[in-house]
Amino acid sequence: MLERLKQEVCEANRRLVEKGLVALTWGNASGIDRPEGLVVIKPSGIEYVALTPEAMVVIDLGGRVIEGLSNPSVDTPTHLLLYKSFAAIGGVVHTHSHYATCFAQACRPIPCLGTTHADYFCGEVPVTAPLAEEEVNENYEWQIGQSIVRRFEGVDVLRCPAVLVANHGPYTWGRSVAEAVENASVLEEVARLAFHTLALSPNAQPIAPHLLEKHFFRKHGSQAYYGQPTPPL
């Protein structure tokens, strides 16, 4: 079942290691088959070197295991809520990558200070509100998802395919799980750039709106012109 998606999700999880975005088992990637309403996600607590497509867990949007011998990732409720809330996304990634997590722990958004950031995120990468004690104590991972959904109310999630969960770490998403991994990699780099820019110049200001929009929309949307055209079929 969903053999191609299992392969893609397995490869995505392995790329998190290759890109230096996770240590130990601190992270996960998932992908969704929208027509089937099924999600493939990394099993909980399994070392990345041991991952195979066959080890991936298939679940429905209610969290019921459809296929797989292992427990799904502990972060599964967060992933499922994002899929149910944001119809445009096809993949979700969670990491504790160093610089992005520094901003999350500081409960500080990553400001858009330059064009590298603007190429992928149309403005600052936001941070969620800290969870209250009762939210942590009941349905914790689902509450994390709720905090992300609240933060993106009225926002196009593909214009900013990333968020920092306060005191915790980053989540990214994309139209596919491969794109979600790319966004996680870019997020870590722009967090690193912002960290060092603010160290050099604590009063550095966000990029001007006209330059931000130029860089974002030349790569995204109906008027994008960056890269090569798709060849005709």
Side-chain angles (χ1 to χ4, degrees):
M1 177 185 290
L2 303 181
E3 301 308 316
R4 180 174 178 179
L5 185 57
K6 287 183 196 174
Q7 181 70 40
E8 292 172 355
V9 171
C10 182
E11 290 177 358
N13 278 284
R14 286 180 171 273
R15 283 200 298 275
L16 296 180
V17 178
E18 292 167 3
K19 292 176 177 290
L21 299 175
V22 297
L24 301 177
T25 61
W26 302 348
N28 40 70
S30 71
I32 187 170
D33 184 310
R34 288 285 181 186
E36 295 292 335
L38 296 175
V39 171
V40 175
I41 194 165
K42 175 184 176 288
S44 179
I46 302 296
E47 294 284 350
Y48 289 91
V49 294
L51 290 180
T52 64
E54 295 74 26
M56 299 298 105
V57 185
V58 180
I59 52 178
D60 65 20
L61 287 170
R64 183 169 65 99
V65 174
I66 304 301
E67 186 176 281
L69 300 177
S70 303
N71 292 328
S73 168
V74 71
D75 297 308
T76 293
T78 308
H79 287 243
L80 294 181
L81 188 53
L82 295 182
Y83 287 126
K84 288 189 281 188
S85 300
F86 305 141
I89 68 175
V92 174
V93 164
H94 172 49
T95 75
H96 292 264
S97 60
H98 181 91
Y99 286 97
T101 300
C102 286
F103 278 90
Q105 291 182 165
C107 297
R108 181 171 178 175
I110 303 173
C112 183
L113 300 174
T115 61
T116 306
H117 181 130
D119 280 339
Y120 282 84
F121 307 109
C122 194
E124 70 175 22
V125 175
V127 61
T128 65
L131 295 179
E133 182 177 358
E134 58 271 20
E135 293 173 311
V136 172
N137 291 338
E138 185 172 351
N139 298 322
Y140 173 54
E141 290 80 14
W142 183 83
Q143 295 287 3
I144 289 174
Q146 282 286 80
S147 72
I148 296 171
V149 172
R150 285 193 297 269
R151 186 63 185 80
F152 277 80
E153 185 174 354
V155 176
D156 183 342
V157 293
L158 293 182
R159 288 195 180 188
C160 184
V163 69
L164 306 175
V165 175
N167 308 120
H168 184 52
Y171 275 82
T172 61
W173 46 82
R175 287 162 291 193
S176 67
V177 65
E179 187 172 274
V181 171
E182 179 180 2
N183 289 334
S185 182
V186 174
L187 177 67
E188 178 64 4
E189 179 60 16
V190 300
R192 187 170 75 97
L193 288 170
F195 186 94
H196 289 117
T197 299
L198 293 170
L200 285 169
S201 179
N203 296 319
Q205 296 300 303
I207 191 173
H210 63 273
L211 188 55
L212 164 66
E213 293 180 3
K214 179 65 176 180
H215 268 261
F216 184 80
F217 288 110
R218 73 176 185 166
K219 293 189 73 171
H220 307 276
S222 60
Q223 303 301 312
Y225 61 89
Y226 177 89
Q228 301 304 312
T230 302
L233 297 176

